[in-house]
Amino acid sequence: MKRAALITFLALLVRLPFLAQGPGGWDDVDFALGLQEYDLAAMQPHFPGYPIYMLVAFLFGSLTDNPFLALSALSAVAASLTVFPLYSISLRCGGKRVADAACLLWAVAPLSVVLGTQPLSDSFGTLLATLLVASSLRALDGTLGERRRALALLVSGILLGLLYGVRVSYIMLGAVPLWAGYVYGRDTKRWMDVANAAFGAALVSLLWVYAMAVNVGSMQGLWELARAFTGGHFSDWGGAYTGGNIMERFGYWMLRQWLAAGLGAPWPGQHWISLGVLVLLPVALVGWWMVQKKVRRTARTRWREAGLFFMWIVPYFWWAFFAQNVEKPRHILPLLVPLLQGLAFGFLSWRRAGRVFLLAFAACMAAVSWTQIHDQRTQASPMVQLADYAALHLPASGVVYTYEEERVMRYRHPSLQVVRLRSWPVFQTSVLSLRAQPESVFMTDAVLEGFHKPILRQYVRERARFTGNPWLYPTYHRIILYEIRPDRKVEWRNCIRNG
């Protein structure tokens, strides 16, 4: 574990100088407001409240007055500590060389580094997810005594309950301890130990659900809040990628999220050294394929571990593709862990040249990672650019219609008249109910495109455009601010009235 500790220190050293100290998007502000005053009904943060994540965040928040810095520091520490369970998993499945290599790749992988410097819950959630796998893997180990295996299974159940308190979207990772419980019960016939682990997961989950109900005021209030949030979250427009067909969606997801954002392969705007990632990646894949014959020979004796990895990867892979916004790479972070472990195994299968290939691949990823976090530190996000521009250049009586940009704009400049829209009827009601027409009316491209009404474009003109790094701000890396043309205000209002 000395090497794991050294790589952990290296990972932390890479991330700490580049911690985000201000908002970049909607979720950042939600969490920051939650640190200042936790109120689920006010979406501070939004449902389901991320109670376990916020509980740990409060500890970091006590060390600094800057909530964004506190949350980013938590991400850096969590991403770095993920090295330990990753080392444990890789050591059991591939030996010391694979464990060292997998941890090194995790320390410098672009998605791991970027999310490890942002005020989001993903790095902390991935730490718990990797701990869950490591503990479940230990419960499968027949060389350990029954007590130690039972304890590992119980810890897995508790970790699962905690994991759901970080992000409910990790629901499919419940398949991991489920498999561990099945194998353990099959080996020992001690099904009561399995029931205890399940009870531990349920108890922890019920505790944080109860805490959320207390915060809202009642269980009924929590249920109504859940229905309102999930209904709007999955039905409103707001940046979700909707490709023409499932193959187009899959290609976009694999190329943009896994290869480009996850590993640093070439994409428009990416660093030129990302070509090295693309060149070396097939080397690892070929190496991995070459040793599959040897793996098949031991498959019968390693069926427990193979089943665990299947339960780890396949259900969550399916969930991340079909049930999550494929424009946001952060949803795949828990699966970046086994991917990097597989790549490490593939590189090291090339006996003499394996280390050279591995170090070259790590160096290329590190270079890409550095460009991303350097941009984050030196350039404001498009949402922040929009907020500051509106405060400086828009008339005080002007109204800005937005989608998710509203949260950042209000946080930065509370005096701005910003309206967040959720649907066309809400927009109609808002505009037509204004007794005194504002001097100017503005809307962002997310609003204009979300209406799916091309006729509206003849009434607007572009006022300003804000751009940022697409890997740091995947959904809102470009924001266009439109202004209703002064000479067509009456026609525009009639168009809205007529729907």
Side-chain angles (χ1 to χ4, degrees):
M1 282 291 181
K2 290 183 179 179
R3 292 184 179 180
L6 180 61
I7 297 174
T8 298
F9 178 74
L10 170 66
L12 189 61
L13 198 63
V14 168
R15 290 161 175 77
L16 284 181
F18 299 96
L19 300 181
Q21 301 189 38
W26 171 284
D27 289 333
D28 304 16
V29 176
D30 276 5
F31 291 134
L33 290 173
L35 276 186
Q36 296 169 354
E37 183 180 356
Y38 192 90
D39 187 349
L40 188 56
M43 298 186 71
Q44 297 181 197
H46 63 67
F47 182 86
Y50 305 80
I52 303 302
Y53 169 68
M54 293 302 297
L55 183 63
V56 180
F58 285 131
L59 299 178
F60 281 77
S62 64
L63 303 177
T64 174
D65 293 332
N66 185 331
F68 299 100
L69 181 60
L71 293 165
S72 299
L74 171 55
S75 293
V77 172
S80 303
L81 290 177
T82 301
V83 167
F84 284 106
L86 174 56
Y87 190 89
S88 174
I89 296 168
S90 302
L91 186 63
R92 286 180 175 273
C93 299
K96 289 185 178 181
R97 293 176 69 238
V98 172
D100 292 341
C103 291
L104 176 63
L105 294 181
W106 169 262
V108 298
L111 189 59
S112 168
V113 172
V114 168
L115 291 175
T117 60
Q118 292 183 342
L120 297 169
S121 62
D122 302 272
S123 293
F124 183 68
T126 300
L127 169 62
L128 290 185
T130 314
L131 283 168
L132 173 68
V133 175
S135 180
S136 297
L137 191 61
R138 187 175 176 82
L140 301 181
D141 191 347
T143 64
L144 298 177
E146 288 186 359
R147 282 190 177 183
R148 297 173 70 181
R149 292 181 68 185
L151 179 60
L153 188 63
L154 178 61
V155 170
S156 296
I158 293 173
L159 285 169
L160 182 65
L162 294 174
L163 185 64
Y164 289 163
V166 174
R167 292 185 67 87
V168 177
S169 59
Y170 291 146
I171 185 171
M172 289 300 180
L173 292 174
V176 173
L178 186 66
W179 173 258
Y182 164 74
V183 174
Y184 174 84
R186 181 179 182 274
D187 288 349
T188 66
K189 309 302 180 185
R190 296 168 61 96
W191 294 104
M192 185 55 67
D193 292 339
V194 178
N196 289 336
F199 177 76
L203 179 61
V204 172
S205 298
L206 287 173
L207 286 174
W208 64 256
V209 168
Y210 175 75
M212 294 302 94
V214 170
N215 183 261
V216 173
S218 67
M219 190 62 74
Q220 178 65 26
L222 182 64
W223 173 248
E224 292 176 357
L225 185 64
R227 291 182 59 187
F229 175 78
T230 53
H233 188 67
F234 291 110
S235 63
D236 297 340
W237 75 82
Y241 177 77
T242 53
N245 54 63
I246 193 169
M247 292 308 298
E248 181 182 342
R249 178 184 174 95
F250 184 76
Y252 177 91
W253 190 54
M254 292 300 296
L255 294 175
R256 187 181 190 272
Q257 311 306 68
W258 287 90
L259 296 181
L263 301 176
W267 197 265
Q270 194 72 284
H271 195 283
W272 66 267
I273 205 168
S274 61
L275 290 170
V277 174
L278 189 63
V279 170
L280 289 167
L281 186 60
V283 175
L285 297 178
V286 170
W288 181 84
W289 178 80
M290 287 170 55
V291 298
Q292 286 308 294
K293 292 182 180 180
K294 296 180 180 179
V295 173
R296 291 192 190 100
R297 294 174 185 172
T298 60
R300 292 183 179 179
T301 59
R302 302 296 295 271
W303 65 272
R304 293 175 172 83
E305 291 81 359
L308 187 82
F309 272 81
F310 180 90
M311 291 297 189
W312 180 9
I313 297 170
V314 175
Y316 189 82
F317 186 93
W318 177 88
W319 174 262
F321 177 67
F322 286 103
Q324 300 294 308
N325 184 349
V326 297
E327 270 204 334
K328 297 181 178 180
R330 58 193 180 92
H331 293 304
I332 69 170
L333 188 63
L335 293 186
L336 186 65
V337 176
L339 173 62
L340 294 176
Q341 184 180 343
L343 292 178
F345 185 75
F347 279 123
L348 294 178
S349 64
W350 299 88
R351 295 182 181 177
R352 295 184 178 180
R355 290 185 179 180
V356 176
F357 289 145
L358 176 76
L359 291 175
F361 188 75
C364 290
M365 287 203 303
V368 174
S369 298
W370 184 86
T371 63
Q372 306 303 334
I373 55 179
H374 180 265
D375 284 352
Q376 177 179 264
R377 185 64 184 269
T378 57
Q379 299 180 13
S381 74
M383 285 193 185
V384 172
Q385 295 175 41
L386 168 64
D388 294 346
Y389 176 89
L392 289 174
H393 300 288
L394 301 190
S397 62
V399 176
V400 185
Y401 288 100
T402 70
Y403 188 64
E404 292 187 351
E405 306 95 333
E406 177 261 353
R407 197 68 157 173
V408 175
M409 295 180 74
R410 286 190 180 278
Y411 185 87
R412 296 275 296 184
H413 304 285
S415 61
L416 288 174
Q417 295 189 59
V418 186
V419 179
R420 183 198 173 202
L421 297 178
R422 301 179 66 88
S423 65
W424 173 257
V426 173
F427 180 58
Q428 287 181 302
T429 301
S430 175
V431 172
L432 299 178
S433 63
L434 293 174
R435 295 181 180 178
Q437 291 301 304
E439 178 182 345
S440 301
V441 178
F442 305 86
M443 65 178 64
T444 63
D445 57 315
V447 170
L448 186 62
E449 294 172 6
F451 288 145
H452 300 295
K453 295 181 180 292
I455 191 175
L456 291 178
R457 289 193 171 274
Q458 63 182 297
Y459 303 110
V460 302
R461 64 185 180 187
E462 182 176 326
R463 175 65 181 262
R465 183 179 293 242
F466 314 96
T467 59
N469 190 313
W471 309 119
L472 299 175
Y473 318 105
T475 304
Y476 290 92
H477 58 273
R478 186 202 67 178
I479 299 176
I480 302 174
L481 180 66
Y482 291 99
E483 179 181 12
I484 304 302
R485 293 171 54 180
D487 59 324
R488 307 204 64 179
K489 281 186 178 180
V490 176
E491 298 171 60
W492 169 74
R493 186 177 173 86
N494 290 335
C495 177
I496 294 174
R497 180 181 290 109
N498 297 329

